[in-house]
Amino acid sequence: MTTARTTAQAQALVQAHGQAHAPAPPRSPAAGALRPRRKAPWQADPYTDALRTGRGPLFLRRSDGWLLPLEVERWCAEPDSADLTVLERCRGSVLDIGCGPGRLVAALASRGRPSLGIDISPAAVARAVRAGGSALVRSVFDPLPREGGWHTALLMDGNIGIGGDPPALLSRLTGVVGTAGSLIVEAASAGTDAELDERVRVRVDNGNGAPGEAFSWARVGVRALIRHARATGWAPSEQWTVAGRRFVALERPDGR
């Protein structure tokens, strides 16, 4: 299949299900609506600014002050050696959940692979599209294009934490990925407790300004991830570690 054809297919998905870029600017507030509103998670100015410049510092801040560094520079760069091992394992059509600035969907598009990224950040989706990928402003818990028909889904860069409830996310994805499909998940990094199973409230913060709204997030080690996967209808098929990053490939047992 040619690159032009697969790109056209991805663009058709976008056209059928929504815009692949940031929405139109908001209307002016009505008279009397003077109280400023805090921006939603991943739409606060520190995150938008980091995506604009392609660099941090940027963190997830817990309520106790603990900071989890976010690798903005890596997200905005070309796929690295660890990313390439993920791309090599993608089969058929690929859905990148929480695609961020789109390095993976852009790389898949350049290889002529049908792919779509979803992210709740308009700034991230806009950057993914500029990079050459196809992407939608969409939550994984919203209706998605081709539900039940994706061959591969990706949860990279800690995105198993989306929603703060890994079992709920994994259960949701059984209805998104086809019965013969696979899910590739990046677990907590090497050196982290493999049994780590943390559910927290965090804010996006650059350490210098007002953070965004608090939201639920999670981190899981490899063994905790596999335990949640088996409980929600997934079977582990492969594990690997590259450059300190740990990955698990999951499959649907009923699709074997």
Side-chain angles (χ1 to χ4, degrees):
M1 183 177 290
T2 66
T3 300
R5 182 177 177 185
T6 52
T7 300
Q9 289 175 335
Q11 290 174 341
L13 281 174
V14 169
Q15 291 169 358
H17 296 276
Q19 296 297 315
H21 51 73
R27 298 177 180 176
S28 299
L34 301 179
R35 180 179 299 175
R37 296 181 62 188
R38 300 193 71 170
K39 294 188 177 181
W42 303 110
Q43 298 180 30
D45 287 340
Y47 184 59
T48 300
D49 291 345
L51 291 181
R52 185 180 301 114
T53 62
R55 61 180 182 271
L58 199 67
F59 310 91
L60 291 183
R61 178 187 289 274
R62 283 192 326 213
S63 58
D64 63 2
W66 181 87
L67 298 174
L68 174 67
L70 300 178
E71 299 181 79
V72 177
E73 291 87 351
R74 179 172 65 78
W75 298 350
C76 292
E78 295 293 316
D80 63 13
S81 59
D83 293 328
L84 292 176
T85 66
V86 172
L87 294 174
E88 290 164 0
R89 289 166 169 81
C90 290
R91 297 182 286 111
S93 57
V94 183
L95 180 68
D96 186 3
I97 299 157
C99 66
R103 72 187 189 282
L104 299 181
V105 288
L108 288 163
S110 71
R111 298 179 178 200
R113 301 291 298 276
S115 59
L116 180 68
I118 59 170
D119 202 292
I120 64 170
S121 165
V125 167
R127 182 158 180 152
V129 172
R130 288 196 301 271
S134 294
L136 291 173
V137 179
R138 195 72 57 88
S139 164
V140 66
F141 296 104
D142 293 335
L144 299 175
R146 293 185 60 178
E147 288 215 11
W150 292 97
H151 297 108
T152 306
L154 304 178
L155 284 172
M156 297 294 102
D157 306 321
N159 284 337
I160 184 63
I162 290 172
D165 188 343
L169 179 56
L170 291 167
S171 294
R172 163 65 176 140
L173 292 177
T174 62
V176 173
V177 177
T179 55
S182 62
L183 173 62
I184 302 177
V185 184
E186 182 170 355
S189 60
T192 303
D193 183 0
E195 291 289 352
L196 175 70
D197 194 1
E198 180 182 66
R199 321 285 177 92
V200 291
R201 297 281 291 176
V202 295
R203 301 175 187 268
V204 179
D205 194 347
N206 64 6
N208 297 313
E213 290 283 1
F215 60 98
S216 298
W217 194 251
R219 292 195 305 146
V220 292
V222 168
R223 286 202 290 270
L225 169 61
I226 290 173
R227 185 170 61 252
H228 292 316
R230 285 177 169 148
T232 53
W234 295 96
S237 59
E238 187 180 6
Q239 300 179 44
W240 69 100
T241 301
V242 180
R245 296 169 61 193
R246 305 183 73 172
F247 304 94
V248 179
L250 306 172
E251 294 182 350
R252 299 279 298 281
D254 53 355
R256 292 179 177 176

